[in-house]
Amino acid sequence: MAHRTKGSKLFITVLYVVTSCSAVPISDLLDRASQRSDRMHSLSRTLTHELDSHFPPIGRMMSPRPSMCHTSSLQTPSDKMQTLQVSESDLLSLARSLLQAWLDPLVVLSASARTLPHPAQNAISNKIQELQEHSKNLGDGLDILSGKMGPEAQNLSFLPFRGGNEIGQDRISKLVNFHFLMSCFRRDSHKIDSFLKVLRCRATMQPELC
Amino acid sequence: MLNTGHDLVATLSSDVSTEAEIEESDRWYQRFVGGAMMTNVWEAVVLLLLPFLAPNAEGTQYSPPGKPALTRCRSPEKETFTCWWEPGSDGGLSTTYALYYRKENSETVYECPDYHTAGENSCFFNKNDTSIWVNYNITVVATNALGSSFSDPVDIDVVYIVKPNPPEELNVTIMEDKGWPYLRVSWKPPQKADTRSGWITLIYELRVKLEGEDDWEMHLAGQQKMFNIFSLRSGGSYHVQVRCKPDHGFWSEWSSADYIKVPDYFHREKSMWILITVFSTFIFLIFMCFLHMNSNRSLKYYILPPIPGPKIKGFDKQLLKNGKSDEIFCALVVPDFPPTTSSKCENLMVEYLEVYVSEEQELILEESKELHNSLKCEGSTSDNDSGRGSCDSHTLLMDKCGEAKGDERQTDGEGHPMEMEAQMHQRDWKEGTLSSAYQDIVSPDMSSGRVKTWPSVFSPLHQCGSTSLNQMNSLAMAKQHCLSDNLSPPGSASSFLPQSGRSTTETHRPNYCEFYSSDKQLSSPKPQAQTHRKLQAHSDINISHKQAGLQSPALRPTEYVEVQRVNKEDMVLLQPVESGCVCGDGCPQVCQDYSKVKGLNSDNMLLLHRDVMEGEEVRSHCEKQETNGCITSHITPATQKPTDCIPTVTPIVQKEMGLAVSGYVDTAAMLTLPTH
C-alpha cells in the first residue's frame, strides 16, 4: 500500500500486539463501529429524503448555506488523497469530534420533531430517536477504540451548537431549519462513516473484504 | 454569478453572424431572383444560404436558445465526476454551451475544465477539480447569436452521486461437491474503484438464468467477490451477470454476461430411479398374486369396497330415498325396542346421566346448533342463532315452546325440551345442548352427536310410540326433579328471569340438579357427545344465596340424580348421587330425590313428589311445588305437534298414567305456572 507511513506501520504492530492479548480485536471493533455509522448515515439520508418530499419551495431560497453548519469549522480532508494521508488517530479523532458535536443538536431535533408540521412527523420522530441511539452507541464504541489507539486519538475538537433549543417559531422556518440541520447531519455522518471504513480496511485481518 | 455570465455571453456573441451579414445575403438573394443565370456553384451557394434566406423572406425565425437542463451528474469512484445536460432548442442558430460552477464557500465562478472526455454535452471534472463533502452549484448556459439562456442551477455533493462501473473479470466455473456440480462465480471490482484502502465499499449482486428463460435468479453477495450457485439443472446452459453498488450510492450497470454449460450428471440419478421402479413393480406384482391366490374376490373388492348399507332393523332404504324422514323413523320403531323388561331396566338404569353444559362449551353449542335445529323439538329450534333451545330462553318460554315450529322432521312426542336450567343465568341457556341432548335421546338416528347423554337403553324412539316410557319417564322425572326445585319458593318469581338464579329467597336447599352428559368419560353409548356438558338446574335459592355472577353458578354442579330403577308400578326411583351435591355456600347437603310419581294432573302434567328425607320445609316446599305442578311434561303441546308420530305418544302417555312420555319437561310451561 503506497500510503503506509511509519505511523501506520506502528499502528499495525500495536494492533497485532493488542489482538494477541485476547481482547476484542480492533478490527472487530472497527467493523462494528462502521456498521453502526453506516446505519446512522442511511437513516439520515432517509430522513432528508422525507423532508424533501414536503419542503416548501420558498424554503429553498431561505435555506442557509451548507457552510453555515456548526461543524464546518472543523478541518476535514476534502478528497481521497488527503483522507488517506491522515493518520489513524487523527481520523478517529475527527470522527469522534463530529459525533460529539451532534449530541446536543440531536436532542433539539428530537424535541422539535414531535411538533414538526410535516405529514410524516411520526416517522420522522421515530427515526430521530433511532439516530440518537445509534449516535450514543457509536460514541461509546469510539471512546473505547480511542483508548486503544494512542493519545492522539483522544483529542477532541469542540464544536459548539449555537442554535439554541428552538428551531423556529413559524411553520416555514421550522421546516427549513429542520431540513438544514438534517442535511448538515447527513454530511457529517457520511464523513464519520467514511473515516471509519478507511480505518477498518487499514486494520482488517481479512484483506479480501477490502 | 449572473453578472459574470452576461459578460461572457456578450463576448461570445461577437462571433456569431450579425445583422449586417444577413442583409447582405438578402441582397444577394434578390439579385439571384432577378434572373441571373445560375451555375452549379451558384446553386450550391444558394442552397447553403437558403436556411438563412428563406426564413428571412418569410419572417425571422431566429430566437435565443431554449433553456438547457442538467440531466445528471455521476461519479464512478468518488474521485472524479461528470455532468451531462440536455440542450434546449437552439433557436435556429448555432448554439454553444458552457458549464459554470461555484464551490460552496467561495464566490469564484469556474468554467468546466473538460468538455470532451465524457462525450457530447458533458463536463468532466478530474481529480484535481473534484472536492468531496463540498457543494457544487452548477449551471449550464446556452448561447447563440440572439442571446443566451441559463439552466436551473443544481447543487450536488460528489459523495451522493456515486455510481460505479460494473465489476470486471467475471469468471464462472463448474465445481463438484460429492458428485453434485455447482457453479463458482468470481469477479473483480471495477478498476477505478479503490476498495483496497476502504475509500469505497462495494456490495455485489449477481443474477443467473437458464438459457432461453426470462426469469433471473438474483443473489446478493455482500462484499465478497465470489459466490457459489447450487441446484443446477443438468445439461443446462446458464447466463451469469454481476453488478455492484457503493454503500451509499447507486447500482452499477450489469456486467457483460458469462455463459456456462452444466454437464449432464443425470446418469447416476437415472440408474437409481430405474432400480427403484423395478423393485416397486416387483413388489406390486407379488402383492397382486398374493391377493389373487388368497381370495376369491376380485381386486376390485379391495380397491373399491362396497359401501355397507344401513343395518338398522326395519330401515327401509326406499323410504329414505323418498325423503320422508318421519316415516322412516316411525318405521324404525319396533314395538319391542328398546327392551323394557324390568330386569333389564334395573341393570340399565345403573348408569347415571350427566348432562353438563359449561360456559366454555358455548362454541360447541353454536356448532351443534344445526344439529339442534335438525332435531325436532317443538319450539326448541326457534332460536337459531344461539345454539340454545328456544325453550332455553326465559323470555320466550311459553311462546316458543308452545308453537309448533312445523319442524316435522322428527316428532317430538316427548314434548318440549326439558330445561333444566330454566332459571339459569342466560349463559346457561346453552342448555340448548340439553334440549338437543334430549332430542338426541329421542331420536338417536338424527342426533349427530351433540350430547349423548343417555345410555343406549334410553335411546328409544318415544315419539313413535315406544313403550319404553319408563326410562324416559325416569329421565323426565329426573329433570322434573330439578325443575321442581327450580320452581321452588313462590318468592322466586325472579327465578325465571335473566338474573337467573338470583332469587330473593333465602332458603338454602341445594337444589342443583346436574345432569351430566357422560360423553367420553362414562360409558356413554353415544360417543358422539362432544363435550362434557353440564346442565345445571340451579335453584333460585341457591343462587340467590350466592349472589354470584352469572357465570359461577353455571359451574357449580350440585346434584347428580341417579336413576335407579323403575319399579313395578312404573315408578321411576331416582336417587341423588351424593358426590355431586356441591351446592355452594350455605347449602345444606340435602339432596332430595323425586322418586315418586304422584300422578297426572288434569293438564297432563306428571307430578312427582319428593321422597324427602329431611326437613319439613322441604316437604312443604316440595308439595307446594307439586301443587304448582313441579313436574310438568307438557304433553299437550306435544300433541299439538303436527307430526305423524305424536298421536302415538299421547295414548301411551295416558296408558302409563301420564308419565312423561318424551321426558321433556317444559320449563317454560313450569315457569308460567300460575303459582308464580
Side-chain angles (χ1 to χ4, degrees), chain B residues 280-304:
Chain B
S280 52
T281 318
F282 190 57
I283 298 277
F284 182 67
L285 285 172
I286 290 181
F287 182 65
M288 296 298 300
C289 293
F290 184 73
L291 276 180
H292 258 284
M293 283 194 290
N294 285 2
S295 77
N296 37 10
R297 283 181 285 199
S298 69
L299 182 69
K300 188 173 171 247
Y301 181 82
Y302 285 103
I303 297 175
L304 302 167

Short mmCIF file of all heavy atoms in Angstrom, two decimals, chain B residues 280-304:
data_model
loop_
_atom_site.label_atom_id
_atom_site.label_comp_id
_atom_site.label_asym_id
_atom_site.label_seq_id
_atom_site.Cartn_x
_atom_site.Cartn_y
_atom_site.Cartn_z
N SER B 280 -40.15 -51.70 -7.05
CA SER B 280 -41.53 -51.48 -6.61
C SER B 280 -42.51 -52.24 -7.48
O SER B 280 -43.53 -52.75 -7.00
CB SER B 280 -41.85 -49.99 -6.59
OG SER B 280 -41.52 -49.42 -7.81
N THR B 281 -42.22 -52.33 -8.76
CA THR B 281 -43.10 -53.11 -9.63
C THR B 281 -43.11 -54.57 -9.21
O THR B 281 -44.16 -55.21 -9.17
CB THR B 281 -42.61 -53.02 -11.09
OG1 THR B 281 -42.23 -51.70 -11.37
CG2 THR B 281 -43.69 -53.50 -12.04
N PHE B 282 -41.96 -55.02 -8.89
CA PHE B 282 -41.84 -56.40 -8.45
C PHE B 282 -42.68 -56.65 -7.21
O PHE B 282 -43.44 -57.62 -7.13
CB PHE B 282 -40.35 -56.66 -8.19
CG PHE B 282 -40.03 -58.09 -7.95
CD1 PHE B 282 -40.35 -59.07 -8.89
CD2 PHE B 282 -39.41 -58.49 -6.78
CE1 PHE B 282 -40.06 -60.40 -8.67
CE2 PHE B 282 -39.10 -59.81 -6.56
CZ PHE B 282 -39.42 -60.77 -7.50
N ILE B 283 -42.54 -55.77 -6.29
CA ILE B 283 -43.31 -55.90 -5.05
C ILE B 283 -44.80 -55.88 -5.35
O ILE B 283 -45.59 -56.65 -4.81
CB ILE B 283 -42.95 -54.74 -4.08
CG1 ILE B 283 -41.48 -54.80 -3.70
CG2 ILE B 283 -43.85 -54.76 -2.87
CD1 ILE B 283 -41.18 -55.74 -2.59
N PHE B 284 -45.15 -54.98 -6.19
CA PHE B 284 -46.56 -54.83 -6.54
C PHE B 284 -47.10 -56.11 -7.17
O PHE B 284 -48.19 -56.59 -6.85
CB PHE B 284 -46.71 -53.64 -7.49
CG PHE B 284 -48.12 -53.36 -7.88
CD1 PHE B 284 -49.04 -52.92 -6.95
CD2 PHE B 284 -48.54 -53.55 -9.19
CE1 PHE B 284 -50.33 -52.66 -7.31
CE2 PHE B 284 -49.84 -53.29 -9.55
CZ PHE B 284 -50.74 -52.85 -8.61
N LEU B 285 -46.34 -56.68 -8.06
CA LEU B 285 -46.78 -57.90 -8.71
C LEU B 285 -46.94 -59.03 -7.71
O LEU B 285 -47.92 -59.78 -7.73
CB LEU B 285 -45.76 -58.30 -9.79
CG LEU B 285 -45.83 -57.45 -11.07
CD1 LEU B 285 -44.67 -57.80 -11.97
CD2 LEU B 285 -47.15 -57.66 -11.78
N ILE B 286 -46.02 -59.11 -6.83
CA ILE B 286 -46.12 -60.15 -5.80
C ILE B 286 -47.38 -59.96 -4.98
O ILE B 286 -48.10 -60.90 -4.66
CB ILE B 286 -44.86 -60.12 -4.90
CG1 ILE B 286 -43.66 -60.61 -5.68
CG2 ILE B 286 -45.09 -60.94 -3.65
CD1 ILE B 286 -42.39 -60.63 -4.89
N PHE B 287 -47.60 -58.73 -4.65
CA PHE B 287 -48.80 -58.41 -3.86
C PHE B 287 -50.05 -58.81 -4.60
O PHE B 287 -50.99 -59.40 -4.03
CB PHE B 287 -48.78 -56.91 -3.56
CG PHE B 287 -49.93 -56.45 -2.70
CD1 PHE B 287 -50.04 -56.90 -1.39
CD2 PHE B 287 -50.88 -55.60 -3.20
CE1 PHE B 287 -51.09 -56.48 -0.61
CE2 PHE B 287 -51.92 -55.18 -2.42
CZ PHE B 287 -52.04 -55.61 -1.13
N MET B 288 -50.08 -58.52 -5.84
CA MET B 288 -51.26 -58.87 -6.64
C MET B 288 -51.47 -60.37 -6.68
O MET B 288 -52.59 -60.86 -6.51
CB MET B 288 -51.09 -58.35 -8.07
CG MET B 288 -51.00 -56.86 -8.17
SD MET B 288 -52.48 -56.09 -7.59
CE MET B 288 -53.64 -56.81 -8.72
N CYS B 289 -50.42 -61.10 -6.91
CA CYS B 289 -50.55 -62.55 -6.96
C CYS B 289 -51.03 -63.08 -5.62
O CYS B 289 -51.90 -63.95 -5.55
CB CYS B 289 -49.19 -63.18 -7.29
SG CYS B 289 -48.65 -62.80 -8.94
N PHE B 290 -50.50 -62.51 -4.62
CA PHE B 290 -50.89 -62.92 -3.28
C PHE B 290 -52.37 -62.72 -3.06
O PHE B 290 -53.09 -63.58 -2.56
CB PHE B 290 -50.05 -62.13 -2.27
CG PHE B 290 -50.28 -62.53 -0.84
CD1 PHE B 290 -49.78 -63.74 -0.37
CD2 PHE B 290 -50.99 -61.72 0.02
CE1 PHE B 290 -49.97 -64.12 0.94
CE2 PHE B 290 -51.19 -62.10 1.33
CZ PHE B 290 -50.68 -63.30 1.79
N LEU B 291 -52.81 -61.59 -3.46
CA LEU B 291 -54.23 -61.28 -3.29
C LEU B 291 -55.08 -62.26 -4.08
O LEU B 291 -56.08 -62.80 -3.60
CB LEU B 291 -54.52 -59.87 -3.78
CG LEU B 291 -54.25 -58.74 -2.79
CD1 LEU B 291 -54.60 -57.42 -3.44
CD2 LEU B 291 -55.06 -58.94 -1.53
N HIS B 292 -54.67 -62.47 -5.29
CA HIS B 292 -55.47 -63.34 -6.14
C HIS B 292 -55.57 -64.75 -5.59
O HIS B 292 -56.62 -65.37 -5.61
CB HIS B 292 -54.84 -63.38 -7.55
CG HIS B 292 -55.57 -62.52 -8.51
ND1 HIS B 292 -56.77 -62.90 -9.04
CD2 HIS B 292 -55.29 -61.30 -9.01
CE1 HIS B 292 -57.20 -61.94 -9.85
NE2 HIS B 292 -56.32 -60.96 -9.85
N MET B 293 -54.46 -65.18 -5.10
CA MET B 293 -54.45 -66.56 -4.64
C MET B 293 -55.25 -66.70 -3.37
O MET B 293 -55.91 -67.69 -3.14
CB MET B 293 -53.00 -67.00 -4.38
CG MET B 293 -52.28 -67.32 -5.68
SD MET B 293 -50.75 -68.20 -5.37
CE MET B 293 -49.77 -66.91 -4.64
N ASN B 294 -55.17 -65.69 -2.54
CA ASN B 294 -55.76 -65.87 -1.22
C ASN B 294 -57.19 -65.43 -1.11
O ASN B 294 -57.78 -65.52 -0.05
CB ASN B 294 -54.94 -65.09 -0.18
CG ASN B 294 -53.65 -65.79 0.13
OD1 ASN B 294 -53.35 -66.82 -0.45
ND2 ASN B 294 -52.87 -65.22 1.03
N SER B 295 -57.71 -64.97 -2.13
CA SER B 295 -59.11 -64.59 -2.03
C SER B 295 -59.79 -64.85 -3.34
O SER B 295 -59.19 -64.74 -4.39
CB SER B 295 -59.23 -63.12 -1.66
OG SER B 295 -59.00 -62.34 -2.80
N ASN B 296 -61.03 -65.22 -3.22
CA ASN B 296 -61.75 -65.41 -4.47
C ASN B 296 -62.47 -64.15 -4.88
O ASN B 296 -63.22 -64.13 -5.83
CB ASN B 296 -62.72 -66.58 -4.34
CG ASN B 296 -63.33 -66.59 -2.94
OD1 ASN B 296 -63.14 -65.64 -2.18
ND2 ASN B 296 -64.02 -67.66 -2.61
N ARG B 297 -62.23 -63.17 -4.10
CA ARG B 297 -62.84 -61.89 -4.50
C ARG B 297 -61.88 -61.15 -5.39
O ARG B 297 -60.67 -61.29 -5.29
CB ARG B 297 -63.17 -61.07 -3.27
CG ARG B 297 -64.42 -61.59 -2.57
CD ARG B 297 -64.74 -60.75 -1.37
NE ARG B 297 -63.81 -61.08 -0.29
CZ ARG B 297 -64.06 -60.78 0.99
NH1 ARG B 297 -65.18 -60.19 1.28
NH2 ARG B 297 -63.19 -61.07 1.90
N SER B 298 -62.43 -60.36 -6.18
CA SER B 298 -61.57 -59.69 -7.16
C SER B 298 -60.82 -58.53 -6.50
O SER B 298 -61.11 -58.13 -5.39
CB SER B 298 -62.42 -59.18 -8.32
OG SER B 298 -63.23 -58.13 -7.83
N LEU B 299 -59.87 -58.07 -7.26
CA LEU B 299 -59.08 -56.93 -6.79
C LEU B 299 -59.97 -55.72 -6.57
O LEU B 299 -59.71 -54.90 -5.69
CB LEU B 299 -58.01 -56.61 -7.83
CG LEU B 299 -57.06 -55.48 -7.46
CD1 LEU B 299 -56.18 -55.92 -6.31
CD2 LEU B 299 -56.21 -55.11 -8.64
N LYS B 300 -60.97 -55.69 -7.37
CA LYS B 300 -61.87 -54.55 -7.28
C LYS B 300 -62.44 -54.43 -5.87
O LYS B 300 -62.70 -53.35 -5.37
CB LYS B 300 -62.99 -54.74 -8.30
CG LYS B 300 -63.88 -53.51 -8.45
CD LYS B 300 -64.87 -53.71 -9.59
CE LYS B 300 -65.89 -52.59 -9.56
NZ LYS B 300 -67.22 -53.03 -9.23
N TYR B 301 -62.58 -55.59 -5.29
CA TYR B 301 -63.15 -55.55 -3.94
C TYR B 301 -62.25 -54.82 -2.97
O TYR B 301 -62.70 -54.17 -2.04
CB TYR B 301 -63.39 -56.99 -3.49
CG TYR B 301 -64.00 -57.08 -2.12
CD1 TYR B 301 -65.36 -56.93 -1.93
CD2 TYR B 301 -63.20 -57.29 -1.00
CE1 TYR B 301 -65.92 -57.01 -0.67
CE2 TYR B 301 -63.74 -57.36 0.25
CZ TYR B 301 -65.10 -57.23 0.42
OH TYR B 301 -65.64 -57.29 1.65
N TYR B 302 -60.94 -54.96 -3.22
CA TYR B 302 -60.02 -54.31 -2.29
C TYR B 302 -59.86 -52.83 -2.59
O TYR B 302 -59.68 -52.03 -1.69
CB TYR B 302 -58.65 -54.99 -2.36
CG TYR B 302 -58.65 -56.32 -1.66
CD1 TYR B 302 -58.71 -57.51 -2.39
CD2 TYR B 302 -58.62 -56.39 -0.28
CE1 TYR B 302 -58.74 -58.72 -1.74
CE2 TYR B 302 -58.66 -57.61 0.37
CZ TYR B 302 -58.71 -58.76 -0.36
OH TYR B 302 -58.74 -59.97 0.27
N ILE B 303 -59.93 -52.55 -3.83
CA ILE B 303 -59.71 -51.14 -4.16
C ILE B 303 -60.98 -50.34 -3.92
O ILE B 303 -60.94 -49.25 -3.39
CB ILE B 303 -59.27 -51.01 -5.63
CG1 ILE B 303 -57.94 -51.72 -5.82
CG2 ILE B 303 -59.19 -49.56 -6.03
CD1 ILE B 303 -57.49 -51.74 -7.23
N LEU B 304 -62.09 -50.92 -4.33
CA LEU B 304 -63.35 -50.20 -4.16
C LEU B 304 -64.31 -51.09 -3.37
O LEU B 304 -65.16 -51.74 -3.94
CB LEU B 304 -63.97 -49.88 -5.53
CG LEU B 304 -63.10 -49.06 -6.48
CD1 LEU B 304 -63.68 -49.09 -7.88
CD2 LEU B 304 -63.01 -47.63 -5.99
#
